[in-house]
Amino acid sequence: MNIGQAAKQSGISAKMIRYYEEIGLLPASKRTDAGYRMYSEEDLKTLKFIQHSRELGFSTEQMKELLDLRNNQDRQSAEVKQLTQKHIDALNQKIADLQAMVSALQQSVDCCAGNQQAECEILNQIELGTAPEHSKGN
C-alpha cells in the first residue's frame, strides 16, 4: 500500500509517517522503481501500535523502547511492565499537578469579586505566584 493508504488505515498523517521513518520509529519503507514509499501489513501494524502508544501518552523515546520490546521475542514482560509503570507514575504526577493548578485557580476565582471594578484578585494572586509549588513551571 502507498503512504496515503497507510495514513488512512493507521490514522497517522503521511507527514507523521515520514517523520517516524526519519527518527527510526518505523523502519525505512520499501520503494517502488519510481521512488514511492510502499508499506506492508506489518508496517501497518507498527503504525497502529505507534498511534495507540501516542494516544496513551507515551513519549517518542518510550515508543522506541516499546517497539524494541515488541520486536524482541526474548524480552521479559517485566521490562514492559516496568516501563509502563513509570509512565503511569508520570501521568499520575501530571494529574496531581493539574488538580493543584485547578485548585489554585479556583481559589483565585472564588476570591475575585467579578464586578465592574479594576481590582482583580486573580491577577494579584498570579502576580504574587501563589500557585502551589509543585505546579510552578509546568
Side-chain angles (χ1 to χ4, degrees), residues 10-104:
S10 68
I12 299 174
S13 70
K15 182 178 180 178
M16 287 304 294
I17 292 173
R18 287 189 291 272
Y19 173 72
Y20 290 148
E21 282 185 39
E22 183 181 315
I23 64 170
L25 269 182
L26 184 66
S29 62
K30 292 185 172 95
R31 300 280 183 141
T32 65
D33 291 340
Y36 293 107
R37 288 176 167 87
M38 294 302 296
Y39 297 92
S40 66
E41 286 301 317
E42 187 57 38
D43 293 329
L44 185 60
K45 286 180 186 178
T46 300
L47 286 168
K48 288 179 179 180
F49 186 91
I50 291 169
Q51 178 65 9
H52 296 150
S53 297
R54 262 186 25 184
E55 290 168 354
L56 292 169
F58 285 101
S59 69
T60 300
E61 198 56 44
Q62 290 169 320
M63 285 190 282
K64 284 182 183 180
E65 289 181 59
L66 286 169
L67 285 165
D68 287 345
L69 289 166
R70 176 180 171 252
N71 295 330
N72 179 1
Q73 295 304 311
D74 295 326
R75 71 178 172 264
Q76 295 180 356
S77 65
E79 296 172 276
V80 181
K81 184 176 181 175
Q82 181 181 21
L83 174 68
T84 305
Q85 187 61 56
K86 283 182 184 179
H87 184 57
I88 290 168
D89 295 344
L91 289 173
N92 281 327
Q93 184 60 56
K94 285 181 183 181
I95 290 167
D97 291 346
L98 289 170
Q99 288 173 332
M101 285 186 253
V102 167
S103 178

